[in-house]
Amino acid sequence: MIQIRNVPEGIHRQLKARAALEGMSMSLYILHEMEKALGRARRQDVLEAIARRPKVILDPPPADVIREGREERGP
């Protein structure tokens, strides 16, 4: 059992309204939202996965390509 105290009135109203729109009790709606949150990757996990990827070196560098395009376009 989980109990949350001191939920601000505005948040309580929003949760109640969203639950009603989904045709759920507020408890069931919050449970579904928690399940969705747990199904998403944690920020730290995503950053670690990115750090493990091999570095990519673009040739020519993107800044050079952008600069050339701007020069071709003119002022």
Side-chain angles (χ1 to χ4, degrees):
M1 177 176 195
I2 296 175
Q3 197 174 56
I4 303 174
R5 294 188 173 103
N6 303 318
V7 176
E9 184 61 33
I11 292 174
H12 185 270
R13 274 195 310 272
Q14 288 179 33
L15 287 170
K16 189 173 181 178
R18 289 184 183 190
L21 288 172
E22 297 293 328
M24 300 178 184
S25 68
M26 195 160 57
S27 292
L28 185 58
Y29 177 78
I30 292 170
L31 177 61
H32 280 274
E33 290 301 307
M34 287 190 302
E35 288 171 343
K36 285 191 325 190
L38 290 173
R40 290 190 296 263
R42 294 179 324 129
R43 181 178 184 271
Q44 187 62 34
D45 295 337
V46 171
L47 293 174
E48 289 171 2
I50 291 169
R52 286 192 301 270
R53 293 182 62 125
K55 296 205 184 290
V56 175
I57 298 173
L58 300 175
D59 187 32
D64 292 350
V65 174
I66 292 169
R67 193 174 300 108
E68 288 174 18
R70 288 179 178 165
E71 288 171 356
E72 288 174 9
R73 233 184 12 224

